[in-house]
Amino acid sequence: MTGSTAARSCDLSPSLEALERALARPEPFAPHDAPFWDDPHIAREMLAAHLDPGTDAGSRRPETIARTVAVWDHAYSVTALRTLLARHGLRVEAAWSDLAGTPYRRSSPTLGVLARRR
């Protein structure tokens, strides 16, 4: 058997198919079994990022948290939010009382809105 005959008789299809599957880009949020978060280096770096008060890369900096809470702690009506968001090019499409999607009522203790750019 010559070298060219041996090369022709070798079927590389299964190997190439396995390589294609390994290199294929997964769909966003698709489940997988590849280790990532349990990798010691990744885990160590993520913890360091979350514990570093000087950056918003992991958890938020104390001053960012304070500004966010100040906004959250303000009482808004749906009408006031519509006006405020409209000034910034957003349109309120829906309002809820909670993350479960309960319709908003004026007596609701919380308010969540869906707003999109116009």
Side-chain angles (χ1 to χ4, degrees):
M1 190 184 302
T2 66
S4 61
T5 306
R8 276 188 247 134
S9 66
C10 180
D11 184 11
L12 295 176
S13 296
S15 297
L16 292 175
E17 289 169 6
L19 180 60
E20 269 185 340
R21 281 192 307 276
L23 294 176
R25 185 180 194 120
E27 290 296 317
F29 309 107
H32 62 83
D33 58 1
F36 183 74
W37 297 112
D38 55 350
D39 177 274
H41 172 74
I42 298 295
R44 190 171 41 254
E45 293 300 314
M46 286 300 296
L47 180 60
H50 280 286
L51 295 177
D52 183 353
T55 179
D56 284 333
S59 298
R60 301 293 181 235
R61 292 175 289 165
E63 57 272 17
T64 303
I65 293 170
R67 284 193 316 271
T68 302
V69 170
V71 169
W72 289 352
D73 198 31
H74 187 85
Y76 288 101
S77 67
V78 175
T79 303
L81 274 176
R82 283 183 200 281
T83 303
L84 175 66
L85 294 172
R87 274 190 257 147
H88 296 278
L90 298 166
R91 178 177 34 88
V92 173
E93 292 188 357
W96 300 284
S97 290
D98 55 35
L99 294 176
T102 304
Y104 177 73
R105 292 176 180 46
R106 288 186 68 162
S107 61
S108 299
T110 57
L111 165 64
V113 296
L114 168 65
R116 294 189 195 267
R117 290 212 177 273
R118 292 192 246 172

